[in-house]
Amino acid sequence: MGESVVIGLGSDLRGDDAAGLEVARLLRGTLPPSVAVVENSGDPAALIEAWSGAALAIVVDAVSSGAPPGTVHMPLQMPLRPPVRAGSHSLGLADAVELGRALGRLPDELVVAGIEGGDFTPGAPMTAPVLAAVRRTADELRERLSRERPGGPRT
């Protein structure tokens, strides 16, 4: 595992929910060798495995807070868990953070970037505002991760 990891969360089957995955795809092969890039469908165990031992983990996911589609929240300043859960199948990022904390397997620094989605309909394509936000987010992360070393001074 590299010193840093970017983890894109989401589902290709639900429109804008693929935002995190698309950011990861745009970053793959364009970052320094010390930065790993991982795609994840939201499996908490796989998230913990991906960020274990990392100095910096950046998790990118689609969110739905009521802001206009394409709004980028970085770092995310909203609860990771919706107020109502639908059952055990809705485990996700918040559960991974809680479990990682309990197991002592959190990265040194965890940054969550949320891209506001607009259409999460099964089978829908990603909307234009979200696709533009995906590109902006990938560019911003590429720039940030290419100029800094985790654990070192930030420029």
Side-chain angles (χ1 to χ4, degrees):
M1 177 63 59
E3 295 177 2
S4 299
V5 61
V6 175
I7 305 167
L9 296 181
S11 170
D12 286 317
L13 304 176
R14 295 182 50 230
D16 291 338
D17 195 41
L21 298 174
E22 287 299 318
V23 169
R25 291 170 185 151
L26 289 172
L27 291 175
R28 186 164 280 117
T30 69
L31 298 173
S34 62
V35 183
V37 177
V38 176
E39 292 179 38
N40 184 293
S41 63
D43 174 27
L47 279 169
I48 293 168
E49 186 64 30
W51 68 41
S52 288
L56 170 65
I58 299 173
V59 179
V60 184
D61 197 7
V63 297
S64 181
S65 71
T71 301
V72 178
H73 310 273
M74 187 164 39
L76 186 64
Q77 299 293 324
M78 54 191 285
L80 295 176
R81 173 177 291 141
V84 176
R85 295 187 48 173
S88 63
H89 65 279
S90 20
L91 298 175
L93 179 55
D95 301 287
V97 170
E98 289 174 16
L99 185 56
R101 184 175 292 120
L103 296 173
R105 293 185 65 192
L106 286 177
D108 295 339
E109 180 181 359
L110 176 62
V111 174
V112 178
I115 298 176
E116 192 74 32
D119 187 355
F120 296 95
T121 305
M126 193 177 307
T127 61
V130 172
L131 188 55
V134 161
R135 291 182 181 128
R136 285 192 318 272
T137 301
D139 289 344
E140 183 177 330
L141 291 176
R142 187 178 301 107
E143 181 182 328
R144 174 183 176 175
L145 293 166
S146 295
R147 73 173 189 264
E148 70 181 44
R149 291 188 51 90
R154 307 231 184 234
T155 57

